[in-house]
Amino acid sequence: MRVVMFGYQTWGHRTLQALLDSEHDVVMVVTHPKSEHAYEKIWSDSVADLATEHNVPVVIRNRPDDDELFARLQEADPDIIVANNWRTWIPPRIFGLPRYGTLNVHDSLLPKYAGFSPIIWALINGESEVGVTAHMMDDTLDAGDIVLQQAVAVGPTDTATDLFHKTVDLIAPVTVGALDRIAAGETEFTPQDRSQASFFHKRAEEDIRIDWNWSAEELERLVRAQSAPYPAAFTYHRGRRLEILAAVVSEGRYGGTPGRIFYREGNGVVIVAGADARTGRNHGLAITRVRTEDGEEMFATDYFTRMGGYLTGRR
């Protein structure tokens, strides 16, 4: 099939590489300009550079809604568009242009975790598996019929970075496998159960600020979800920002006020956590590694030289 690819960052790069390695003919690539957004500078392999290396025409757009791009797509005459990590709305006149429509590749197990940063949100929420879905694009974002889907398990210590590597390796088999079904003439795919759908927004500074009213289990997952190279989860100590680089759920149960710097346990320092921490039934968050406002990384036991005081959400 003649394929036009819409994509960005490493997800789009992996998709384009899979298409170039397949029997299909990539006739044009549409990608975004480089961004200074913190999350878009991560996993930023260039789709444009890869296309240029293979002599594939490249169009740079923030939004694909202009007449010039539409005319170029008509001239390219694609059988199908394949999209992965395209960051803005694709209008119906474009996704409906090719003979077989548009196949969108999304890094979640749709219908759950449509939208943005699905791996991070899924890890924070304690999901047991994540994955990649190839579905036909329609008028509702990430809601079209599923052509192919593959899942991987979330391990008990997996970080968002671990899960990125697990899921990005699924892009090629899911994309090419879905195209094989379409090229073979299949037209009946699996409708999404919209009662199970969830849609998430882009991650921002407020989403990585620690709320000590969360349970220790939730906070431990937040720390893992914000693993390098993502911006680290943070709190404030004595008015200065403190990033939490590693933590575990405490073995003991600790009561009191959320955010209290309470007790040395093993290699960590336990912080009281949970809205109902006063009951004494909660585990705490045992912080093991931190980074200070001036960029110094150290063990939590070296940073917290005495117990007492509080970690807070504001300076």
Side-chain angles (χ1 to χ4, degrees), residues 89-154:
W89 180 64
I90 297 177
R93 71 167 180 168
I94 288 183
F95 72 67
L97 175 66
R99 177 184 175 191
Y100 295 109
T102 294
L103 181 76
N104 187 53
V105 182
H106 181 71
D107 55 334
S108 84
L109 297 175
L110 293 174
K112 294 182 177 181
Y113 298 97
F116 299 92
S117 305
I119 289 174
I120 294 176
W121 288 113
L123 179 52
I124 291 171
N125 290 332
E127 301 290 351
S128 61
E129 58 182 10
V130 292
V132 171
T133 301
H135 69 95
M136 301 309 301
M137 188 174 288
D138 63 15
D139 288 326
T140 303
L141 185 63
D142 294 335
D145 291 356
I146 294 171
V147 182
L148 194 63
Q149 185 176 79
Q150 290 186 19
V152 291
V154 177

Side-chain angles (χ1 to χ4, degrees), residues 1-4 19 22-28:
M1 291 189 292
R2 292 173 58 83
V3 180
V4 167
L19 293 170
S22 75
E23 62 183 9
H24 304 289
D25 183 16
V26 183
V27 295
M28 191 168 81

Side-chain angles (χ1 to χ4, degrees), residues 236-238 242 257-264 269-272 303-312:
Y236 288 100
H237 182 226
R238 297 175 179 171
L242 183 69
T257 302
R260 178 74 174 189
I261 305 162
F262 192 13
Y263 191 76
R264 291 176 185 261
V269 173
V270 176
I271 312 300
V272 177
Y303 175 81
F304 294 104
T305 57
R306 64 179 65 182
M307 299 299 100
Y310 292 87
L311 299 180
T312 63

Side-chain angles (χ1 to χ4, degrees), residues 37 40 60 65 86 135 144 154 157 168 204 217 247 255 278 314:
H37 188 284
E40 293 186 358
I60 308 292
D65 52 6
W86 182 261
H135 69 95
V154 177
T157 61
V168 80
E217 291 79 7
R278 66 188 182 281
R314 305 290 173 182

Side-chain angles (χ1 to χ4, degrees), residues 29-71:
V29 163
V30 186
T31 190
H32 294 302
K34 290 182 179 180
S35 170
E36 293 303 310
H37 188 284
Y39 282 88
E40 293 186 358
K41 292 168 71 175
I42 301 169
W43 315 126
S44 57
D45 293 305
S46 173
V47 170
D49 289 351
L50 180 60
T52 300
E53 289 169 12
H54 290 81
N55 299 313
V56 177
V58 178
V59 178
I60 308 292
R61 289 290 190 279
N62 279 311
R63 297 183 178 276
D65 52 6
D66 59 276
D67 291 339
E68 179 188 354
L69 174 59
F70 184 67

Side-chain angles (χ1 to χ4, degrees), residues 210-212 215-217 219-224 232-237 241-252 254 258-273 283-292 296-305 307-312:
I210 291 176
D211 180 347
W212 294 104
S215 71
E217 291 79 7
L219 292 175
E220 186 270 343
R221 293 196 299 267
L222 173 64
V223 171
R224 284 192 284 130
F234 71 95
T235 187
Y236 288 100
H237 182 226
R241 181 176 173 129
L242 183 69
E243 295 182 344
I244 310 304
L245 303 182
V248 297
V249 176
S250 69
E251 294 182 6
Y254 299 87
R260 178 74 174 189
I261 305 162
F262 192 13
Y263 191 76
R264 291 176 185 261
E265 182 186 275
N267 295 322
V269 173
V270 176
I271 312 300
V272 177
H283 293 280
L285 185 72
I287 299 172
T288 56
R289 257 188 332 115
V290 300
R291 181 163 53 223
T292 63
E296 184 179 1
E297 295 187 16
M298 64 181 73
F299 293 114
T301 50
D302 292 332
Y303 175 81
F304 294 104
T305 57
M307 299 299 100
Y310 292 87
L311 299 180
T312 63

